[in-house]
Amino acid sequence: MATAIPPLYESDGEPSKKCRYLIVWPHKGRTIDVLHFLLSPDGPRETSFLESSDELGPIPGDHRWVIVVSIIVRRIIAIFGKPTEWTGFLIEYLLNLLAENGDLLGLVYNILRGKVVMPHRNSETFISAIGHLDGRIDLYKGGSLSGLTGGIGDGTGNRALMDLCMMTSKLAYENALVVRNIVVHHWKMHFVEFYNGWNDFEKDYSTQVFILCDKPKDASLVLISFRGTEPFDADDWSTDFDYSWFEIPELGKVHMGFLEALGLGNRAEVTTFQELLQIGEDTSNGRKQPPQSAMASDSQSDSKDDEDGVLPEMAKMTAYYAVRSRLRILLNEHKNAKFIVTGHSLGGALAILFPAVLLLHKEKEMMKRLLGVYTFGQPRVGDRQLGSFMEAHLNVPVPRYYRLVYSNDLVPRLPYDDKTFLYKHFGLCLYYNSCYVEQNVDEEPNRNYFGLRYVIPDHLNAVWELIRSMTMGYTHGPEYKEGWFSIFLRTVGLAIPGLSAHSPTDYVNSVRLGRQRVQMSSI
């Protein structure tokens, strides 16, 4: 199926390379068509569920298998999307009802007294399911937060900084009032802003990100934290299993769903990627923009992105443009500050793509002040060309990008990668096994998760993790004690080990306990 689209941009009046893309539409095509695509030699040249800028040539069998699995999984996610959302809504409400009333016995007592405390969503006391999985809010006590900007890439590292990144990645799952309360009152830092970014494909404000500084004046650190995959959000999980890509000539092939989450296009109108990824071009060319109110934040930015080449509404609406605009102001206000970008899960993918697009847009002065990118349980975001481009800019002369992976976590093994498929990890991987022993590797073991030889070891490891969860409070201290909700997820992990291993609990533990066992050599 061939679809022609115009060049991404022009240089000296000459057209650039042709833009290429592949979109996998899971809801299009009959089941029999999908099976025919899987079983026929090299696959049919035209399908209703694949859209490409080029004519589809022969597709290797293992490549077709991965696409079919993606379609099936995303169809299942879509079927259970609404029930899952309602279940999550109920679970979060019940968790907060118990917490507000002092657990089950307290709730029963308050019911008898007629004084039940009812939780209010989007209040500073309403905690997400992720927050109930791991209730820790205090930062690492074994190191000082002073001098946060030191230690990266010098062979020693800064564990307090790494812990701050993980804790902010976890905090990004909360609402704006919870984030502000913890940043200001518990961490004694300066809360800057919380954004709900517009995703034009999902037609929702589904990308959450917040910004903080280590202090309100003369700050040395600006930190940007993207929210990750919400446990009960079908759209987030569907994005993780998506294999659609858009090729940016200077960068390489990039996961289309992650670009959409940053607000950089809409696959239903592919030319929007061209408009929003152009270099030095004016995208205010008559294309209908979502309403200005589509970007909700706890305080409005008064900046003007005249040099951005985007409408002022766009700069306020989407995560990429809104954060870039505010970051520019902060770096001008705090002359000695550097910035860090971080995120867990889907948030990790957005965290590494944010500086990638800054590089594409020639934000050289801004990139000089990038201290580092820390991601936790991050999925793959692009191909080998993207990896080479980012390593050349982020890891030379010293590493500034660190990708942390815990044990059997499923998400870093997505999207699928093999000798014929395009998605590749890049940068330094800090891999922690289930004993929190750290190893610096290029790729985590069992990089595609579904290898048959790992089935029994993965399930045995899940049994060990369940037993460990019940003893951590005794072996490592009260702050490592896991609650009943976390233990319940470990039980689910007996059936799906990679799911429970994605919990932020193990990433916090890895950061705080890993170096006690093995001396880190590169961070």
Side-chain angles (χ1 to χ4, degrees):
M1 181 176 187
T3 305
I5 61 176
L8 180 63
Y9 60 90
E10 295 182 352
S11 174
D12 298 326
E14 295 296 327
S16 70
K17 300 177 183 177
K18 176 184 177 183
C19 284
R20 302 175 60 237
Y21 65 88
L22 174 69
I23 303 176
V24 181
W25 296 101
H27 59 283
K28 295 183 179 181
R30 300 172 301 171
T31 302
I32 189 67
D33 296 329
V34 176
L35 291 176
H36 179 59
F37 171 77
L38 175 63
L39 299 177
S40 62
D42 296 331
R45 296 299 178 92
E46 294 188 8
T47 70
S48 56
F49 49 85
L50 292 181
E51 177 183 344
S52 175
S53 55
D54 304 315
E55 181 179 353
L56 293 174
I59 302 176
D62 52 354
H63 195 153
R64 282 181 279 130
W65 171 253
V66 170
I67 291 175
V68 169
V69 169
S70 169
I71 290 172
I72 293 173
V73 170
R74 293 172 69 195
R75 285 183 176 183
I76 293 173
I77 291 173
I79 291 171
F80 291 98
K82 279 299 179 182
T84 300
E85 180 183 344
W86 297 333
T87 300
F89 188 92
L90 178 61
I91 288 175
E92 284 194 341
Y93 188 85
L94 291 176
L95 288 171
N96 282 277
L97 181 65
L98 291 172
E100 294 275 7
N101 290 276
D103 292 329
L104 183 59
L105 291 178
L107 176 61
V108 172
Y109 179 66
N110 285 346
I111 290 175
L112 295 175
R113 295 169 59 214
K115 295 184 178 181
V116 177
V117 180
M118 305 302 291
H120 297 283
R121 194 171 291 272
N122 294 322
S123 69
E124 67 177 23
T125 59
F126 195 94
I127 306 301
S128 70
I130 293 293
H132 283 283
L133 273 177
D134 189 291
R136 289 173 287 191
I137 59 175
D138 293 330
L139 298 176
Y140 175 64
K141 298 186 176 93
S144 172
L145 288 176
S146 61
L148 282 176
T149 57
I152 293 188
D154 63 1
T156 58
N158 188 318
R159 184 148 53 122
L161 176 59
M162 198 157 65
D163 182 73
L164 174 62
C165 288
M166 181 57 227
M167 294 299 284
T168 53
S169 297
K170 184 166 72 79
L171 185 59
Y173 289 92
E174 308 301 333
N175 67 62
L177 292 179
V178 173
V179 172
R180 179 193 293 271
N181 180 56
I182 291 177
V183 169
V184 174
H185 298 294
H186 289 271
W187 298 350
K188 308 301 180 185
M189 294 184 180
H190 175 56
F191 175 78
V192 177
E193 195 154 6
F194 184 99
Y195 298 97
N196 288 296
W198 177 257
N199 185 320
D200 202 28
F201 179 68
E202 294 182 1
K203 303 300 180 186
D204 197 6
Y205 323 126
S206 57
T207 303
Q208 282 75 48
V209 54
F210 74 89
I211 306 174
L212 64 80
C213 296
D214 59 334
K215 50 190 174 182
K217 294 183 179 181
D218 298 322
S220 60
L221 179 70
V222 177
L223 191 146
I224 302 164
S225 180
F226 287 91
R227 174 190 59 79
T229 306
E230 290 191 335
F232 302 104
D233 190 319
D235 289 333
D236 281 359
W237 284 105
S238 183
T239 297
D240 287 338
F241 281 92
D242 189 10
Y243 289 86
S244 306
W245 51 262
F246 183 87
E247 185 174 41
I248 305 172
E250 293 193 19
L251 269 70
K253 296 183 179 71
V254 182
H255 191 290
M256 189 173 284
F258 300 152
L259 289 174
E260 289 169 328
L262 282 175
L264 293 170
N266 179 350
R267 72 185 67 193
E269 190 178 350
V270 181
T271 54
T272 57
F273 291 104
Q274 299 169 252
E275 295 170 5
L276 295 172
L277 290 168
Q278 288 188 36
I279 302 172
E281 293 284 339
D282 184 3
T283 60
S284 55
N285 56 5
R287 190 180 81 85
K288 183 180 179 182
Q289 305 286 359
Q292 184 169 346
S293 60
M295 171 51 105
S297 69
D298 76 311
S299 63
Q300 290 295 325
S301 171
D302 58 0
S303 66
K304 294 183 180 180
D305 278 282
D306 294 333
E307 72 273 36
D308 286 346
V310 295
L311 291 175
E313 305 93 80
M314 181 62 71
K316 294 179 181 178
M317 290 163 32
T318 65
Y320 171 75
Y321 285 109
V323 171
R324 185 181 73 171
S325 175
R326 193 53 181 265
L327 178 60
R328 183 176 290 129
I329 294 173
L330 291 170
L331 294 180
N332 286 333
E333 289 178 352
H334 306 283
K335 299 299 183 181
N336 297 317
K338 294 185 178 181
F339 73 98
I340 279 185
V341 193
T342 190
H344 169 260
S345 190
L346 169 64
L350 304 186
I352 188 57
L353 282 182
F354 179 75
V357 182
L358 289 181
L359 288 166
L360 177 70
H361 288 166
K362 309 300 183 184
E363 295 284 355
K364 295 180 181 179
E365 292 304 315
M366 191 177 292
M367 286 299 296
K368 287 179 182 178
R369 297 173 69 178
L370 173 66
L371 180 63
V373 179
Y374 283 89
T375 70
F376 305 87
Q378 169 213 312
R380 298 180 177 99
V381 298
D383 65 358
R384 196 180 302 278
Q385 181 184 344
L386 175 67
S388 298
F389 177 87
M390 294 303 291
E391 287 181 342
H393 287 85
L394 291 186
N395 289 341
V396 178
V398 295
R400 290 189 291 170
Y401 169 43
Y402 298 94
R403 183 174 63 86
L404 280 73
V405 175
Y406 168 75
S407 192
N408 298 325
D409 187 351
L410 168 64
V411 174
R413 277 90 175 176
L414 298 173
Y416 197 83
D417 165 37
D418 64 15
K419 62 184 179 180
T420 63
F421 213 62
L422 66 92
Y423 286 99
K424 305 290 181 184
H425 273 308
F426 54 89
L428 177 65
C429 175
L430 306 181
Y431 174 77
Y432 295 86
N433 67 16
S434 60
C435 294
Y436 305 121
V437 173
E438 184 233 80
Q439 183 181 1
N440 296 353
V441 296
D442 293 327
E443 185 77 62
E444 57 273 11
N446 185 21
R447 69 179 190 273
N448 286 318
Y449 183 74
F450 300 105
L452 292 178
R453 67 190 181 99
Y454 289 95
V455 171
I456 294 177
D458 285 354
H459 284 79
L460 290 176
N461 191 70
V463 174
W464 150 245
E465 288 175 332
L466 176 61
I467 296 172
R468 184 195 61 193
S469 69
M470 301 177 186
T471 62
M472 284 289 289
Y474 300 103
T475 58
H476 292 82
E479 72 168 297
Y480 295 96
K481 181 180 180 180
E482 296 188 27
W484 68 267
F485 189 47
S486 180
I487 293 174
F488 172 76
L489 180 62
R490 302 283 191 193
T491 305
V492 173
L494 298 177
I496 315 175
L499 185 62
S500 58
H502 192 55
S503 170
T505 299
D506 284 315
Y507 281 96
V508 176
N509 291 349
S510 295
V511 170
R512 297 184 177 185
L513 299 175
R515 285 187 63 190
Q516 296 177 4
R517 296 170 180 267
V518 174
Q519 182 65 35
M520 301 171 70
S521 60
S522 299
I523 184 170

